[in-house]
Amino acid sequence: MNMATDSDKSEEFAKIRRYLVDQTKRRDWWELWPRVIGLRTQILDKLARTSQVQALWKPASDEWTILETSQHILNSSIEVRSLVENLANSESPRIDKPPEPEHLNGETTIFSLRKELTMDAIKWAGLLDLLPLVPDDKNTWPHMVFGPLNCSEWFLFQRLHDRDHLDQIDKIYA
């Protein structure tokens, strides 16, 4: 039965990869932009209604809190934004991995994290102005599950990543 599960996951991952590749071939950056930014706005709206007590509540010992999930979203966002910019400019990515959420310091609040996510969203919103007129779509960087992705595929990936973790936050609320 475990092999069927692994096979199902492989099929799901292949489907997601096809989605990333197909969407970025069919749509230009300006069509993808509202999808990416719109989802980030949904996360910020949700966090604006989250108290520190809610942000620290842990649904189970092996699950993240809203605060930890939000920190992970920010960390990934910073890394992916850098990847998009580097790949689009035909540069090798420079990866400085921030610490994962379990390494949060006791001073991190949902309010400060929401501010950081907002500042990051502003950088995402202006990202298209930083890219060349014709971004390098041949330059790729490997994703640990979806394989090599180019700059536009990484750009759209951030939307999927945000969606996944917004769903996670919604489950914590439920």
Side-chain angles (χ1 to χ4, degrees):
M1 182 156 171
N2 192 12
M3 289 184 74
T5 303
D6 289 345
S7 175
D8 290 345
K9 281 184 178 181
S10 292
E11 288 177 35
E12 180 183 348
F13 295 153
K15 182 179 174 183
I16 293 169
R17 178 172 173 69
R18 280 192 305 276
Y19 168 81
L20 292 169
V21 171
D22 292 346
Q23 288 296 305
T24 57
K25 283 184 180 174
R26 292 188 356 211
R27 302 185 191 297
D28 68 21
W29 288 84
W30 300 103
E31 291 173 294
L32 296 174
W33 184 89
R35 293 174 168 195
V36 174
I37 301 306
L39 201 48
R40 181 55 60 89
T41 302
Q42 289 178 38
I43 291 170
L44 292 170
D45 286 345
K46 177 70 72 171
L47 296 181
R49 299 186 308 265
T50 303
S51 70
Q52 185 67 11
V53 170
Q54 291 170 316
L56 294 172
W57 184 75
K58 198 169 197 68
S61 63
D62 63 339
E63 294 182 31
W64 281 348
T65 65
I66 290 173
L67 188 70
E68 290 168 327
T69 303
S70 301
Q71 182 67 58
H72 173 74
I73 292 168
L74 177 62
N75 292 351
S76 171
S77 183
I78 292 167
E79 185 177 342
V80 171
R81 186 169 31 83
S82 175
L83 272 173
V84 170
E85 194 172 348
N86 291 155
L87 291 172
N89 285 297
S90 303
E91 297 172 3
S92 295
R94 297 177 300 275
I95 304 296
D96 263 344
K97 288 187 93 50
E100 276 304 309
E102 53 270 9
H103 298 102
L104 287 174
N105 67 45
E107 297 174 20
T108 304
T109 67
I110 193 64
F111 310 107
S112 64
L113 197 48
R114 188 178 71 226
K115 182 179 178 184
E116 287 186 61
L117 276 163
T118 300
M119 291 186 307
D120 182 66
I122 291 167
K123 290 176 183 175
W124 271 95
L127 182 61
L128 299 187
D129 279 343
L130 301 176
L131 302 182
L133 202 50
V134 179
D136 181 352
D137 65 354
K138 303 290 185 244
N139 197 12
T140 63
W141 189 259
H143 183 277
M144 65 182 161
V145 174
F146 306 120
L149 301 176
N150 68 23
C151 56
S152 60
E153 292 158 357
W154 274 107
F155 183 76
L156 186 57
F157 164 80
Q158 188 61 44
R159 177 183 185 267
L160 297 180
H161 187 266
D162 282 359
R163 171 84 269 159
D164 188 42
H165 290 298
L166 179 57
D167 290 346
Q168 183 181 2
I169 291 169
D170 285 341
K171 284 180 186 175
I172 295 170
Y173 265 102

